[in-house]
């Protein structure tokens, strides 16, 4: 009960801090929302009366404290405000974009976890061999490569040169939404999901490799070898139970990295998700939408870290005692 109360308190503090930071950063930003959304050419020929109307519409001259208090008051009533950039309620925009992003991140999260686990086990079982060196080189290169660079490389190779996948968007251009099949959606989703999966493999693979080396050197594995069990049988019957949970814990703790990577991947592939909407809101000075996306993102990351902490307690009983005290 005390643990749940502490987590609820931390979550509330996180939401308040995130919203305050977002409003403060937008107010300090040199971006003029009117100029960013109307355009310099249209702005230069605009009358003073119309300019004043647009500035009032975007709340340009409203003090930060007043804007934040008004937004918080609406949020407590269940109203996240209106997105001036998309001319729609923030909740509606976030819900539409979150559906796309969650599918993308969910597939990438699952695929990167499974692939990282498999590569880590393969490398750890054959420590010092060709497979081990290949997996380590692959992971080190991935860990050192910027996400947007990997996404651009995947787009050029598989989208432009080979033509296996579309080069952007979540549906075929010019096709009505009612006519888009799940195969069309999956075809457009595949390359961004593969890219995000590949980017997220390194941490899980390297951590699983180290755990596999520890497991393969343990007394019960040596005893199994003495009984004549093969390496494959040892991994399946004795190793997996000790490797899956730590790998899952690491995977849950890197939800923040997967979300951050999805922002860049969505930009490269023009995929209409939360990341692309956040960039659009930031460029256009759409404070309400940016705050809404930031809160949803923070909640997602908080949930992932909470699950990771719980799993840490399952893996290591000492952590359970630490959580009960802290």
């Amino acid at each position: 009960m005390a643990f749940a109360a502490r987590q609820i308190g931390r979550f509330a503090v996180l939401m308040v801090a995130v919203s305050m930071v977002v409003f403060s950063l937008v107010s300090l930003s040199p971006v003029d929302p009117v100029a960013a959304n109307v355009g310099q050419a249209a702005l230069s020929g605009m009358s003073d009366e119309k300019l004043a109307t647009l500035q009032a519409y975007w709340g340009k001259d409203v003090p930060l404290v007043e804007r934040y208090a008004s937004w918080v008051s609406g949020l407590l009533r269940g109203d996240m405000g209106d997105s001036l950039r998309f001319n729609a309620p923030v909740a509606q925009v976030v819900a539409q974009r979150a559906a796309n992003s969650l599918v993308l991140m969910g597939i990438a999260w699952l695929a990167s976890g499974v692939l990282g686990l498999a590569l880590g086990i393969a490398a750890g079982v054959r420590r010092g061999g060709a497979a081990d060196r290949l997996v380590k080189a692959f992971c080190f290169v991935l860990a050192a490569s910027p996400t947007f660079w990997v996404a651009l490389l995947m787009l050029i190779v598989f989208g432009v040169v080979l033509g296996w996948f579309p080069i952007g968007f979540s549906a075929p251009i010019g096709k009505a939404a009612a006519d888009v099949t799940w195969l069309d959606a999956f075809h457009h989703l595949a390359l961004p999901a593969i890219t995000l999966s590949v980017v997220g493999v390194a941490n899980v693979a390297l951590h699983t490799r180290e755990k596999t080396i520890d497991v393969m050197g343990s007394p019960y594995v040596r005893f199994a070898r003495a009984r004549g069990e093969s390496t494959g049988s040892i991994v399946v019957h004795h190793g997996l139970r000790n490797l899956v949970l730590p790998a899952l814990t690491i995977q849950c703790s890197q939800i923040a990295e997967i979300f951050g990577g999805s922002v860049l991947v969505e930009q490269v592939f023009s995929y209409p998700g939360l990341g692309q909407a956040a960039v659009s809101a930031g460029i256009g000075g759409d404070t309400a939408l940016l705050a809404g996306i930031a809160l949803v993102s923070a909640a997602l990351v908080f949930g992932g870290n909470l699950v990771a902490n719980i799993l840490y307690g399952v893996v290591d009983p000492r952590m359970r005692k630490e959580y009960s005290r802290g």
Side-chain angles (χ1 to χ4, degrees), residues 3 47 49 99 112 116 133 162 179 186 240 243-244 270 298-299 308 310:
F3 176 77
S47 64
E49 292 78 8
S112 63
R133 292 195 297 270
L162 297 177
D179 298 329
F186 181 78
L240 281 179
L243 297 173
V244 171
S270 299
I310 293 173

Side-chain angles (χ1 to χ4, degrees), residues 169-182:
F169 306 106
S170 61
I173 298 175
K175 197 169 186 177
D179 298 329
V180 176
T181 65
W182 68 271

